[in-house]
């Protein structure tokens, strides 16, 4: 049943959202229809289309009580907005419909599972969020909240869990036909735990069982968990809060974590054998995956990070927040690999390629420019006996602006730096990643959209993602090196 709140938001997004000119949005990354966007939610395939919902506060460009925005796509590249799906309009979710996921039921309905939040006043006068899991059923456009919500409360958690961090349920139907949910919770001291629930009908759930506990290794609460089988391994993706840095692998603040290992469904225990960051750039958080009908495991994430959002002064009626390009995942040599979904190749136009370009001073190449671009670059030392010292690519360059990706083979450091991108805030502008190479041989696939850069290094063994809100007049791309680099490059315009 449509509530007043949902009707209002649906009207507001048509009235105000449609005033935003399409050319002032990313060309092929999903951005908020109007106002604020964070985590991807309910990434699913339903009635022949991909559905993507998102954490949404339409009335301002800062976070506020969460709704679920909604968009659909035939190819993961072209998105069409649908009316907002959920509003915080019930007693049990009046302070927010937090992150969750979606599944198709046997009877053909789509079911959303999300975290309902309500604020509770404590004895000492402070307020705490009560977080409980809730359901809504729909036809792909309209959703009705379940009459018996919430369906999971803190009483369903195993012993030793705090009542205040229990959120972000990720649902799937397992190979044995049972419904499964993983959700994040934590000890009272906020040490992360991931808990798994089982159900035969998706509506009545068992008590949760501990899948894994952090024991203080990777930050505090592990938000937005996702757990799946991939290439003979089990993979847990999650976004830990309050990380401490570790070499160039993890950095301070909100981070991302991929654990790869073995899972025993009998005892329900996940045993990781490898850990890594999911992305090594600046703006990447809250991943969610889908198992596509053709068997691909595809991941999408919020192309932003809580630590980089504060401080933008934006008109409240514009958009803020975008998703990454959806990425196909695989596990190779025990690591997570990512590549942009192959559908992106369908919008490649105007191929320009060069081989064995000798780069030492700063140079530009005919036909290599633009802000919506797919480029594959292969670097190696031009002189076998003398590895180059540094390679620099500047993009979104022009006037006072550029963003750069640099590589030092000596210490294996790749750095993204958007200090000169036009940012007027003292947020994080640089990040370094360790990319080992033999004599400087490295491959970079760079996807530029109007307001972002995503670099896939060495066939996707590592990725570096950042957004940049540079004036669209800055279209140049330049290359330079200290020492001599030999570069192959293939570049396409991306024209959705
Ligand atoms: C992650 C997160 C989730 C929560 C949502 C609220 O970015 O904090 O844990 O459900 O955002 O918007």
């Amino acid at each position: 049943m449509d509530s007043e709140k949902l009707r209002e938001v649906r009207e507001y997004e048509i009235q105000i959202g449609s005033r935003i000119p399409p050319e002032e949005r990313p060309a092929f990354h999903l951005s908020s229809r109007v106002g604020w966007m964070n985590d991807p939610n309910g990434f699913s395939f339903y009635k022949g289309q991909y559905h993507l919902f998102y954490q949404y506060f339409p009335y301002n460009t800062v976070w506020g009580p969460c709704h679920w925005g909604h968009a659909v796509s035939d190819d993961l590249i072209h998105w069409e907005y649908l009316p907002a799906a959920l509003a915080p309009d019930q007693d049990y979710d009046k302070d927010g419909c937090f992150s969750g996921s979606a599944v198709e039921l046997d009877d053909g309905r789509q079911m959303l599972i999300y975290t309902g939040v309500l604020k509770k006043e404590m004895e000492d006068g402070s307020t705490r969020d009560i977080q409980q899991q809730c359901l809504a059923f729909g036809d792909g456009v309209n959703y009705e909240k379940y009459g018996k919500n919430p369906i999971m409360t803190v009483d369903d958690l195993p012993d030793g869990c705090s009542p205040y961090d229990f959120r972000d349920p990720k649902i799937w139907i397992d190979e044995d036909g049972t419904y499964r949910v993983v959700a994040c919770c934590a000890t009272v001291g906020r040490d992360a735990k991931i808990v798994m629930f089982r159900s035969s009908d998706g509506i009545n759930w068992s008590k949760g069982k501990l899948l894994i506990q952090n024991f203080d290794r990777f930050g505090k609460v592990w938000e937005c968990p996702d757990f799946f089988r991939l290439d003979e391994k089990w993979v847990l993706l999650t976004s830990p809060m309050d990380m401490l840095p570790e070499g160039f692998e993890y950095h301070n603040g909100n981070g991302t974590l991929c654990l790869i290992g073995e899972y025993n469904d009998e005892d329900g225990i996940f045993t990781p054998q490898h850990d890594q960051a999911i992305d090594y750039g600046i703006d990447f958080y809250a991943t969610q995956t889908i198992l596509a009908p053709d068997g691909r495991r595809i991941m999408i994430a919020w192309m932003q990070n809580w630590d980089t959002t504060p401080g933008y002064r934006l008109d409240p009626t514009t958009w803020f927040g975008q998703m990454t390009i959806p990425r196909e995942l695989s596990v190779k040599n025990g690591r997570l690999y990512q590549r942009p979904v192959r559908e992106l190749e369908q919008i490649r136009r105007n191929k320009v390629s060069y081989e064995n370009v000798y780069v030492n001073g700063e140079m530009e190449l005919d036909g290599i420019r633009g802000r919506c671009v797919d480029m594959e670059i292969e670097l190696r030392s031009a002189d076998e006996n003398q590895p180059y010292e540094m390679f620099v690519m500047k993009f979104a360059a022009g006037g006072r602006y550029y963003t750069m990706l640099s590589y030092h083979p000596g210490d294996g450091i790749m750095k993204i730096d958007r200090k000169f991108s036009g940012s007027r805030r003292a947020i994080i502008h640089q990040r370094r990643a360790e990319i080992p190479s033999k004599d400087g041989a490295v491959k970079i696939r760079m996807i530029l959209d109007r307001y972002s850069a995503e670099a896939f290094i060495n066939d996707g063994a590592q990725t570096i993602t950042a957004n940049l809100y540079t004036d669209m007049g800055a279209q140049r791309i330049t290359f330079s090196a200290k020492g001599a680099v030999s570069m192959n490059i293939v570049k396409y315009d991306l024209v959705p």
Side-chain angles (χ1 to χ4, degrees):
M1 215 60 67
D2 280 10
S3 69
E4 190 59 35
K5 261 195 173 166
L6 190 62
R7 268 200 300 278
E8 270 171 26
V9 75
R10 286 178 163 198
E11 271 167 33
Y12 181 85
E13 52 183 13
I14 290 177
Q15 266 182 15
I16 309 297
S18 47
R19 284 194 209 150
I20 303 173
E23 60 280 6
E24 290 178 15
R25 293 178 175 279
F28 53 92
H29 287 77
L30 181 69
S31 55
S32 181
R33 187 168 187 182
V34 56
W36 169 272
M37 162 195 276
N38 60 289
D39 315 356
N41 293 160
F43 193 17
S44 52
F45 191 82
Y46 180 65
K47 290 190 181 164
Q49 284 189 306
Y50 292 97
H51 285 247
L52 187 62
F53 304 81
Y54 52 91
Q55 289 286 280
Y56 184 34
F57 184 59
Y59 302 114
N60 205 339
T61 43
V62 295
W63 188 86
C66 283
H67 300 59
W68 276 34
H70 190 185
V72 286
S73 175
D74 292 328
D75 59 5
L76 298 161
I77 304 294
H78 300 85
W79 293 96
E80 182 196 331
Y81 292 113
L82 291 184
L86 301 176
D89 52 14
Q90 302 294 320
D91 291 344
Y92 52 81
D93 65 13
K94 66 181 177 44
D95 293 303
C97 300
F98 274 20
S99 284
S101 50
V103 80
E104 182 173 347
L105 296 174
D106 282 347
D107 62 12
R109 288 178 302 167
Q110 190 178 37
M111 184 175 83
L112 311 181
I113 179 166
Y114 69 98
T115 303
V117 177
L118 81 139
K119 292 201 181 297
K120 185 176 161 194
E121 187 144 344
M122 311 304 286
E123 277 175 7
D124 64 2
S126 62
T127 48
R128 299 297 298 258
D129 279 2
I130 303 296
Q131 305 185 333
Q132 311 178 109
Q133 315 323 315
C134 303
L135 302 178
F137 303 97
D139 60 2
V141 180
N142 296 305
Y143 296 85
E144 190 161 343
K145 290 178 184 168
Y146 184 43
K148 295 186 185 155
N149 279 341
I151 47 116
M152 285 175 198
T153 71
V154 292
D155 297 336
D156 300 307
L157 289 173
D159 292 343
C161 292
S162 145
Y164 304 118
D165 285 296
F166 175 29
R167 60 180 176 275
D168 306 344
K170 172 71 203 285
I171 194 166
W172 74 96
I173 300 173
D174 204 71
E175 278 165 13
D176 65 5
T178 60
Y179 291 79
R180 307 287 179 108
V181 157
V182 286
C184 101
C185 68
T187 64
V188 175
R190 306 200 90 194
D191 189 42
K193 293 181 183 208
I194 301 298
V195 179
M196 190 193 275
F197 299 83
R198 296 171 194 236
S199 165
S200 56
D201 58 5
I203 293 162
N204 300 292
W205 291 85
S206 68
K207 209 174 150 68
K209 244 188 124 221
L210 184 69
L211 180 71
I212 185 170
Q213 182 167 347
N214 181 20
F215 295 115
D216 207 25
R217 270 211 70 191
F218 307 104
K220 294 288 181 184
V221 179
W222 289 359
E223 298 188 304
C224 304
D226 199 343
F227 188 55
F228 49 87
R229 204 173 152 77
L230 182 64
D231 298 330
E232 312 298 316
K233 289 284 176 192
W234 279 86
V235 178
L236 178 73
L237 303 182
T238 176
S239 296
M241 301 167 75
D242 306 330
M243 294 278 271
L244 291 173
E246 231 179 271
F248 294 103
E249 193 64 35
Y250 303 108
H251 51 78
N252 313 65
N254 289 279
T256 55
L257 173 67
C258 167
L259 296 173
I260 299 177
E262 303 291 344
Y263 168 66
N264 180 343
D265 200 41
E266 306 272 281
D267 61 17
I269 300 290
F270 172 54
T271 314
Q273 296 154 330
H274 165 78
D275 69 88
Q276 62 170 101
I278 306 176
D279 189 275
Y280 295 80
I282 306 173
D283 302 293
F284 187 94
Y285 197 70
T287 57
Q288 192 166 94
T289 73
I290 181 185
L291 185 61
D294 60 8
R296 288 178 293 167
R297 178 62 63 173
I298 299 174
M299 175 184 76
I300 196 162
W302 182 36
M303 194 152 53
Q304 196 65 59
N305 184 305
W306 290 108
D307 293 302
T308 60
T309 52
Y312 287 111
R313 298 196 185 107
L314 291 179
D315 168 1
T317 62
T318 185
W319 62 273
F320 180 79
Q322 43 178 330
M323 297 298 169
T324 62
I325 194 79
R327 304 174 181 185
E328 294 174 18
L329 301 184
S330 55
V331 173
K332 275 185 257 172
N333 313 318
R335 270 195 78 84
L336 186 73
Y337 275 69
Q338 304 171 41
R339 52 170 283 187
V341 280
R342 58 198 67 174
E343 286 85 343
L344 188 66
E345 289 151 35
Q346 292 164 9
I347 62 163
R348 284 171 161 182
R349 302 282 180 277
N350 312 327
K351 179 175 177 181
V352 179
S353 66
Y354 294 89
E355 274 186 18
N356 303 319
V357 180
Y358 186 84
V359 187
N360 61 351
E362 186 160 270
M363 66 189 299
E364 283 175 59
L365 293 166
D366 265 359
I368 310 260
R369 56 184 279 116
R371 290 284 286 275
C372 292
V373 158
D374 185 347
M375 277 189 293
E376 290 176 341
I377 298 171
E378 283 175 21
L379 306 175
R380 60 178 197 281
S381 292
D383 178 349
E384 269 177 28
N385 303 316
Q386 186 151 15
Y388 65 93
E389 232 177 272
M390 178 162 86
F391 169 83
V392 175
M393 172 167 66
K394 291 183 181 164
F395 50 93
R400 304 158 75 177
Y401 308 127
Y402 63 85
T403 292
M404 75 181 197
L405 190 74
S406 61
Y407 186 57
H408 285 253
D411 50 14
I413 296 296
M414 192 169 283
K415 184 171 86 175
I416 187 143
D417 186 343
R418 58 164 176 193
K419 193 162 63 229
F420 299 102
S421 65
S423 161
R424 290 175 191 273
R425 302 260 59 86
I427 54 166
I428 302 158
H429 289 118
Q430 302 179 348
R431 186 143 286 149
R432 286 175 293 174
E434 198 167 358
I435 314 273
S437 71
K438 199 170 168 295
D439 301 331
V442 64
K443 285 204 259 183
I444 304 167
R445 176 154 176 215
M446 187 67 150
I447 308 296
L448 300 180
D449 194 349
R450 292 185 181 124
Y451 303 108
S452 62
E454 292 166 271
F456 295 78
I457 317 298
N458 293 333
D459 302 314
Q462 280 162 285
T463 61
I464 296 179
T465 300
N467 52 45
L468 38 127
Y469 295 101
T470 311
D471 188 275
M472 286 303 295
Q475 297 272 335
R476 288 168 51 208
I477 297 172
T478 70
F479 306 96
S480 62
K482 260 193 214 153
V485 171
S486 175
M487 174 173 80
N488 294 344
I489 180 164
V490 182
K491 176 251 169 186
Y492 304 84
D493 294 324
L494 291 173
V495 186

